[in-house]
Amino acid sequence: MLVRHAKSSWKEPLVDDHDRQLNPRGLRDAPIMAEQVKARMPKVDLIVSSTAQRAMMTAEIFSNHIAHLRFISSRELYHAPEEDILARLHDLESDVVTALVFGHNPGMTHFYNMFADTLIGNLPTCGVFELVSEADDWHDMDRTNTKLVWSSAPKTIL
């Protein structure tokens, strides 16, 4: 399952992009979307988040709602293009069966479109999507053996 971080604040324009926090809408949306994900995936083996503050805050909110075994941050996910997101998934250990990955646009939208039958122009903030792969190992995951099976966003349920 992949998640674009919730809505971030531009209240302080001098704050470095990496350090921007969630705004009130983001703080409202993240728990709602976490419950949506929990209904589909009540427990995950691993949560992986970009090191950006807004992604980490979103991931922490989700982690408070969903049982998980491990939580790690990955600098490689900060504004990663779709190829880097896939490479990060390829690096997951074989004992990880389910993972929640938190990142940024435009990479998350492009990654979504790699597996979608119908392309989208933008994955909204706090948008989530679920992939199911027939690959035996994360390293073998690709477009031929992985399908997008579900997606949701705050505006579709609020």
Side-chain angles (χ1 to χ4, degrees), residues 19-136:
D19 298 329
R20 284 190 292 118
Q21 298 190 5
L22 297 182
N23 72 10
R25 188 173 113 199
L27 292 169
R28 177 202 71 193
D29 292 349
I32 293 167
M33 295 311 297
E35 286 298 318
Q36 292 283 307
V37 170
K38 180 180 178 179
R40 294 189 64 83
M41 190 182 294
K43 182 179 178 192
V44 298
D45 298 317
L46 179 65
I47 293 176
V48 184
S49 176
S50 158
T51 55
Q53 184 68 26
R54 60 195 179 275
M56 290 291 290
M57 289 176 73
T58 305
E60 288 169 7
I61 291 169
F62 274 67
S63 77
N64 290 333
H65 289 261
I66 300 165
H68 62 284
L69 297 176
R70 291 179 282 167
F71 186 119
I72 61 172
S73 60
S74 173
R75 180 74 180 189
E76 294 83 14
L77 289 173
Y78 179 59
H79 287 296
E82 64 272 24
E83 300 87 9
D84 290 355
I85 296 170
L86 184 60
R88 184 65 187 97
L89 290 175
H90 283 167
D91 289 341
L92 294 181
E93 297 173 9
S94 60
D95 66 332
V96 173
V97 176
T98 56
L100 265 173
V101 179
F102 294 81
H104 309 266
N105 261 357
M108 285 300 225
T109 295
H110 295 159
F111 194 74
Y112 176 104
N113 286 334
M114 283 177 66
F115 301 97
D117 291 332
T118 304
L119 303 182
I120 61 170
N122 178 55
L123 180 67
T125 52
C126 217
V128 301
F129 59 101
E130 180 181 1
L131 301 175
V132 173
S133 183
E134 295 175 359
D136 291 330

